[in-house]
Amino acid sequence: MKILLVNPPFYRLLGSHYNANSLGIAYIASYLNKNGHDAWLYNADFINEIDYANQRELFDRFIDYTSYFKNENDPIWDEVTENIIQSSADWVGYTSYTANITAIDIISRKVKERKPKIKQVIGGVHATLDHNVLNKLKGIDFSVQREGEQAMLELVEGKSPKDIIGVVSRDGKGLCNNGDAPIMRIDDLPFPERDKIFGLTQEEKLMVDISYICTIRGCPYRCNYCASPFHWKRDKTQYRSPESVISEMRLLKENYWNRFKKYDYSASANIGKKSSLKIIDNSVVYFVDDVFTVKKDRVKSILRMIIDQNIKMDWKCEARTDHLDDEICQLMAEAGCIRVKLGFESGSDKVLKDIQKDETKQDMLNGAR
């Protein structure tokens, strides 16, 4: 089967864009390809530009974002629909979060109208948390709850949807919900697809930020403002082995780190002069885990392997301040860390307790120092 896995437009609707490789669908694509299918990635948020809108510009353009949904004849919807049709895919899968559900609704209905034989599937965060999403998305045939690799494979290989764990389908009377998809052993999964990118020239493919690495699926913490404990389930958090992480870093360095292209991949800088925070090439690994520093012994093993094996790759991550001490910070520095994002949700211990951060103001001050 030929499958097109789509990251729908969102940042483009705000007057910016998103040129990174979406890991959720990239893992599904590589799993399908490993099992003999022909899966491609289509990022409908990609634009052939090197500059991104900053946070202030994004907020100022919010009215433009909502106005796109009021005009289903806007050229962007026709563009994405046409690209999907031109892919000649038998199956189309969309990754979802709440802000792009309306975009998926518009696009999927247009695809269904033109090519009703194409089977369309939605997965991702919103599809996992909204068990009844098919009631709104009339153009979508199936939704997948939680991890999508095995469920998507069984769908495209013709297994009855009512017999696939993790798939929600229509049975003529309502929705048939088979619960959450099974948890995959993360070390057994092939590395995410980084080459089969649909609709871009060879030059444009060099602009895709393929530097993301996921070493943890989920998060063991219980912060009640965050979707992660509900999307992944805290007790299902999975940790890749240090050997697997190092192997993927080597793959990146040996196959993608010789591009010599300079683009701004900082993407989230919103304070001061953005130019001072730019990372200007595609040679910085981004560990996109909710919290890279969970399980200190494991993290130290990864860092020591990076140092001992002379990997020499710059990287950035997200961390909690209560995980940081002199030893782990020294190891991070020696291993090539150039940026750490620390979540400071509040300077009030009462608020931190109320949101179940399990961290104190003093922890944050100590970790930052």
Side-chain angles (χ1 to χ4, degrees):
M1 289 291 177
K2 184 170 186 179
I3 305 101
L4 188 69
L5 298 169
V6 182
N7 180 56
F10 172 66
Y11 286 99
R12 285 179 64 187
L13 310 183
L14 300 177
S16 188
H17 58 297
Y18 176 74
N19 285 4
N21 194 32
S22 179
L23 279 187
I25 56 176
Y27 265 109
I28 294 173
S30 65
Y31 192 73
L32 292 169
N33 288 328
K34 180 182 178 181
N35 283 277
H37 297 282
D38 184 18
W40 291 74
L41 303 172
Y42 170 36
N43 181 7
D45 239 349
F46 177 93
I47 288 185
N48 187 346
E49 294 179 5
I50 63 174
D51 294 318
Y52 291 81
N54 62 33
Q55 293 287 73
R56 180 72 265 162
E57 291 169 325
L58 294 180
F59 284 124
D60 287 345
R61 294 167 181 169
F62 181 78
I63 186 64
D64 297 335
Y65 156 69
T66 59
S67 67
Y68 280 98
F69 300 144
K70 299 173 184 176
N71 178 16
E72 296 191 7
N73 294 317
D74 190 277
I76 195 169
W77 308 128
D78 292 333
E79 170 203 319
V80 176
T81 301
E82 182 62 28
N83 285 337
I84 291 173
I85 299 299
Q86 291 300 317
S87 75
S88 301
D90 304 296
W91 288 78
V92 175
Y94 304 90
T95 184
S96 69
Y97 40 90
T98 300
N100 69 18
I101 284 294
T102 305
I104 293 171
D105 180 34
I106 294 171
I107 294 164
S108 61
R109 282 190 283 107
K110 286 179 173 287
V111 170
K112 182 69 71 176
E113 182 180 344
R114 290 186 55 185
K115 291 286 184 178
K117 290 186 178 180
I118 295 177
K119 296 297 184 182
Q120 299 185 84
V121 186
I122 184 172
V125 180
H126 189 100
T128 293
L129 298 179
D130 181 0
H131 307 313
N132 300 315
V133 69
L134 291 185
N135 287 333
K136 177 179 180 180
L137 305 181
K138 303 303 182 183
I140 299 290
D141 299 289
F142 311 106
S143 70
V144 175
Q145 297 175 153
R146 228 166 292 286
E147 301 187 33
E149 288 89 357
Q150 186 63 30
M152 192 68 183
L153 177 64
E154 292 181 8
L155 275 173
V156 302
E157 293 193 338
K159 187 173 180 178
S160 173
K162 67 180 182 180
D163 296 327
I164 303 175
I165 300 174
V167 170
V168 180
S169 59
R170 299 182 181 90
D171 61 8
K173 299 178 182 178
L175 299 183
C176 176
N177 187 334
N178 292 331
D180 294 339
I183 302 296
M184 306 292 291
R185 186 174 181 275
I186 193 168
D187 272 8
D188 292 341
L189 293 174
F191 296 148
E193 181 62 56
R194 291 182 169 97
D195 297 313
K196 296 179 72 171
I197 300 173
F198 177 79
L200 301 185
T201 66
Q202 291 303 313
E203 182 69 18
E204 287 174 330
K205 288 180 181 179
L206 298 178
M207 299 173 66
V208 177
D209 184 3
I210 45 71
S211 64
Y212 289 16
I213 293 180
C214 173
T215 83
I216 303 172
R217 281 196 172 185
C219 179
Y221 288 93
R222 58 177 185 149
C223 309
N224 57 29
Y225 57 83
C226 181
S228 186
F230 307 96
H231 174 227
W232 290 108
K233 289 192 174 179
R234 291 174 58 208
D235 61 342
K236 304 297 183 184
T237 302
Q238 281 207 75
Y239 306 87
R240 284 174 63 185
S241 66
E243 292 78 12
S244 175
V245 175
I246 298 301
S247 180
E248 187 170 4
M249 291 183 75
R250 287 196 176 281
L251 175 80
L252 282 179
K253 189 171 185 178
E254 293 169 4
N255 293 278
Y256 302 98
W257 247 231
N258 58 352
R259 296 181 168 201
F260 302 111
K261 290 288 181 180
K262 295 187 180 295
Y263 301 111
D264 171 16
Y265 289 127
S266 53
S268 64
N270 61 2
I271 55 173
K273 291 185 177 180
K274 188 174 183 185
S275 59
S276 68
L277 292 173
K278 278 188 176 181
I279 295 172
I280 58 170
D281 59 37
N282 195 7
S283 56
V284 178
V285 172
Y286 183 11
F287 293 117
V288 295
D289 312 318
D290 289 348
V291 187
F292 174 68
T293 49
V294 176
K295 289 195 173 183
K296 278 189 179 182
D297 288 344
R298 170 185 171 274
V299 174
K300 288 177 183 178
S301 294
I302 293 173
L303 299 177
R304 291 191 178 107
M305 289 176 72
I306 293 173
I307 296 167
D308 294 344
Q309 296 185 29
N310 204 28
I311 300 295
K312 289 188 175 179
M313 298 176 78
D314 290 342
W315 53 272
K316 58 183 179 177
C317 70
E318 302 184 12
R320 283 173 59 103
T321 55
D322 57 347
H323 292 167
L324 303 179
D325 56 32
D326 289 344
E327 180 187 15
I328 200 164
C329 287
Q330 184 63 39
L331 286 171
M332 289 169 73
E334 292 178 18
C337 182
I338 63 171
R339 181 181 297 172
V340 183
K341 297 182 181 180
L342 302 173
F344 284 26
E345 286 73 21
S346 176
S348 161
D349 281 331
K350 179 183 183 304
V351 173
L352 291 171
K353 183 177 180 180
D354 287 345
I355 64 175
Q356 298 177 299
K357 184 69 189 283
D358 295 335
E359 199 171 5
T360 68
K361 179 174 68 175
Q362 195 59 49
D363 289 332
M364 294 178 173
L365 291 170
N366 293 341
R369 290 191 186 107

